[in-house]
Amino acid sequence: GNFTAAIGPGANNLYLFVRSDGTAKQKQTLSFNNATVTWYLGTDCEIGKSYNPQTVYGAQTTVMYSSDQESVAKIENGKIKIVGAGSATITATAESSDEYYGATASYTLRIVKSPSQDWEDMGTFSLENRALQDYLDDAISHYSDNDDATNSVMATYAASSAYAAIDRKDCPNPVTIKWTYSAASSSTVIAIYEDKTLTSQVWSQNATENSTSADVFNLIPGRTYYYTVSEDSTVWEKGYFNTTGRRRMIKVSDVEKKGHANNCRDLGGLEVTDKGEKKAIKYGYIFRGTNMDKTTDNDKEKSILTDFLNIGMDVDLRNGYSTSPGGDDGSSSCYRPFSSSIMGYINPGFNSFTDLTTASKVKDVLTAIFDTAKQGKASYFHCYIGADRTGYIAMLIEGLLGVSEKDCSIDYELTSFSEAAGLRYRTGRPQDYYFRQGIGFLRGKTGDTFQDKVENYVKSIGITQSQIDEFKSIVLE
């Protein structure tokens, strides 16, 4: 039999277990060939049938198996009975004996629905959250051009408790991709494409472990998208869906704080009348928002801005940010995630736009946006919170392209949906004078239409007609 020798005083004992033949008790090491086994229902296995996916190696004593997810796989009579799709950890346990210590080894068994040859129709998703949708319905029906008498309807939607359940009114509704495989891993990838041949990928993201769905943000309204759900480069689910919406709101950050590119939207989708011809601004060329001073190099926000939205130019309208930290808004740092940047050096106060010195900066800002579009890249222009200086530059660009005064005022008011910026109304309050003074300033220029007036103004500060025409040819459709 075994005997025990105790060495050392008090509680500091060393125990030596020795077999009757004088040798020490041995350790056994268990292992499987594969850390993960993925089987497809209907191809590799069927629900209700039993299998032995892997044999354990290194066992010297009796082995028992267990499953941590019996809704996926159960152990019956030493075999694994398939119960449903999902993921289970299969553990082999070798018993302890007089000669050997006990030991365990495990692997992940994934049971996946076989990929269909057909595309799953996910239906149509509206990208407008309910507050945005109701506001647009109301504003579009009530506002008109050259109308300063109609008060803003925005407060009903930005400040009303009826919409309190919407966490981020400045963000779009997501498209929720669902799959039947009930236990995704962190390496499960959801990829979004513009084409059925899956050659033009617009975005991809990893699933949350053990999830059965994923929310995808920032897609373009009025498009048909195709998606795949894959594991280790093997596609096991695919489908398509349609999107609707009148404005492309953008969710960059998960936190609604200053410095994280919130209050962000694409000017694409706005309808224009360009010299009497009906057109629209293309998506993906011009974005507006707040500063991104707290966005970092390894942040997913940078990936959204540069990879998904294809932004290559940071147009920072603030004053005092180019050579040293700090500036007119009191920020202590400034991060520029894009390949190019330009400083607007525009002080707070609308008179900074009409000052002859600043006018040259407005010219530089517009030129940078025009040149970036020529390179096939998007521009992101912002001040501190993306409301006033940003709102005026947005109105210049929109008016130049042929957006109506009415739609310029609606775009200005959309800033109210961002808690980082606060309420902004087309009329009625001193803090909204950037828009009121700006639109009044532009109305005072020569020209038959609002577009003509804006065009004549930007030409007066040095922008050429050929620059304007080339920009329009790129960003209008």
Side-chain angles (χ1 to χ4, degrees), residues 335-366:
Y335 176 71
R336 305 189 183 288
F338 310 135
S339 56
S340 302
S341 63
I342 182 173
M343 290 300 305
Y345 291 107
I346 299 173
N347 289 306
F350 180 72
N351 63 336
S352 64
F353 286 105
T354 57
D355 179 86
L356 292 178
T357 302
T358 310
S360 67
K361 294 299 181 182
V362 174
K363 173 190 172 184
D364 292 343
V365 163
L366 294 178

Side-chain angles (χ1 to χ4, degrees), residues 194-238:
E194 290 182 329
D195 60 324
K196 198 171 184 177
T197 60
L198 307 182
T199 56
S200 182
Q201 181 175 304
V202 298
W203 180 244
S204 68
Q205 63 189 61
N206 288 91
T208 302
E209 195 164 0
N210 297 321
S211 64
T212 58
S213 66
D215 287 340
V216 179
F217 289 91
N218 305 327
L219 298 174
I220 295 175
R223 299 288 175 88
T224 297
Y225 287 100
Y226 300 85
Y227 71 89
T228 60
V229 183
S230 61
E231 183 81 42
D232 299 325
S233 301
T234 300
V235 174
W236 44 263
E237 198 143 332
K238 61 183 181 179

Side-chain angles (χ1 to χ4, degrees), residues 146-191:
N146 200 22
D147 176 17
D148 293 332
T150 301
N151 288 328
S152 171
V153 300
M154 172 51 80
T156 303
Y157 307 100
S160 172
S161 60
Y163 300 94
I166 303 175
D167 181 49
R168 293 284 302 277
K169 300 185 188 73
D170 65 328
C171 294
N173 281 340
V175 171
T176 301
I177 306 295
K178 299 180 180 179
W179 53 87
T180 53
Y181 177 25
S182 61
S185 75
S186 58
S187 60
T188 301
V189 176
I190 299 91

Side-chain angles (χ1 to χ4, degrees), residues 55-281:
T55 300
V56 70
Y57 294 95
Q60 304 297 324
T61 60
T62 302
V63 176
M64 302 293 290
Y65 291 89
S66 63
S67 168
D68 72 337
Q69 295 292 334
E70 294 197 340
S71 61
V72 176
K74 289 183 177 181
I75 308 301
E76 292 185 352
N77 301 319
K79 291 186 176 183
I80 298 175
K81 181 179 180 180
I82 306 303
V83 179
S87 180
T89 299
I90 306 300
T91 300
T93 301
E95 297 178 342
S96 176
S97 69
D98 290 343
E99 297 182 20
Y100 294 95
Y101 292 107
T104 63
S106 62
Y107 68 94
T108 299
L109 175 63
R110 291 180 180 145
I111 307 300
V112 182
K113 177 183 175 183
S114 294
S116 172
Q117 296 305 309
D118 298 324
W119 293 82
E120 182 78 16
D121 183 357
M122 293 287 290
T124 298
F125 294 83
S126 172
L127 304 183
E128 294 177 1
N129 67 60
R130 191 164 60 89
L132 172 66
Q133 184 179 53
D134 291 351
Y135 165 74
L136 290 176
D137 289 343
D138 196 353
I140 289 170
S141 65
H142 281 86
Y143 295 171
S144 61
D145 293 337
N146 200 22
D147 176 17
D148 293 332
T150 301
N151 288 328
S152 171
V153 300
M154 172 51 80
T156 303
Y157 307 100
S160 172
S161 60
Y163 300 94
I166 303 175
D167 181 49
R168 293 284 302 277
K169 300 185 188 73
D170 65 328
C171 294
N173 281 340
V175 171
T176 301
I177 306 295
K178 299 180 180 179
W179 53 87
T180 53
Y181 177 25
S182 61
S185 75
S186 58
S187 60
T188 301
V189 176
I190 299 91
I192 308 296
Y193 300 85
E194 290 182 329
D195 60 324
K196 198 171 184 177
T197 60
L198 307 182
T199 56
S200 182
Q201 181 175 304
V202 298
W203 180 244
S204 68
Q205 63 189 61
N206 288 91
T208 302
E209 195 164 0
N210 297 321
S211 64
T212 58
S213 66
D215 287 340
V216 179
F217 289 91
N218 305 327
L219 298 174
I220 295 175
R223 299 288 175 88
T224 297
Y225 287 100
Y226 300 85
Y227 71 89
T228 60
V229 183
S230 61
E231 183 81 42
D232 299 325
S233 301
T234 300
V235 174
W236 44 263
E237 198 143 332
K238 61 183 181 179
Y240 66 95
F241 56 87
N242 300 301
T243 58
T244 63
R246 289 163 286 187
R247 289 306 308 270
R248 187 190 184 192
M249 311 295 275
I250 302 294
K251 182 181 181 182
V252 179
S253 175
D254 291 331
V255 294
E256 190 166 12
K257 294 180 179 179
K258 295 172 183 176
H260 289 276
N262 293 307
N263 185 28
C264 183
R265 53 191 176 273
D266 189 342
L267 298 193
L270 284 171
E271 296 180 352
V272 308
T273 302
D274 179 33
K275 306 302 181 183
E277 186 178 352
K278 297 291 185 182
K279 299 178 183 179
I281 302 176

Side-chain angles (χ1 to χ4, degrees), residues 342 344 346 353 356-371 393 396 457-464 467:
I342 182 173
I346 299 173
F353 286 105
L356 292 178
T357 302
T358 310
S360 67
K361 294 299 181 182
V362 174
K363 173 190 172 184
D364 292 343
V365 163
L366 294 178
T367 300
I369 293 172
F370 294 175
D371 289 345
I393 293 298
L396 276 183
Y457 167 66
V458 300
K459 287 194 289 188
S460 75
I461 62 173
I463 298 293
T464 67
Q467 284 180 288

Side-chain angles (χ1 to χ4, degrees), residues 411-423:
D411 183 52
Y412 173 73
E413 288 196 335
L414 289 179
T415 290
S416 302
F417 283 133
S418 171
E419 290 184 9
L423 295 176

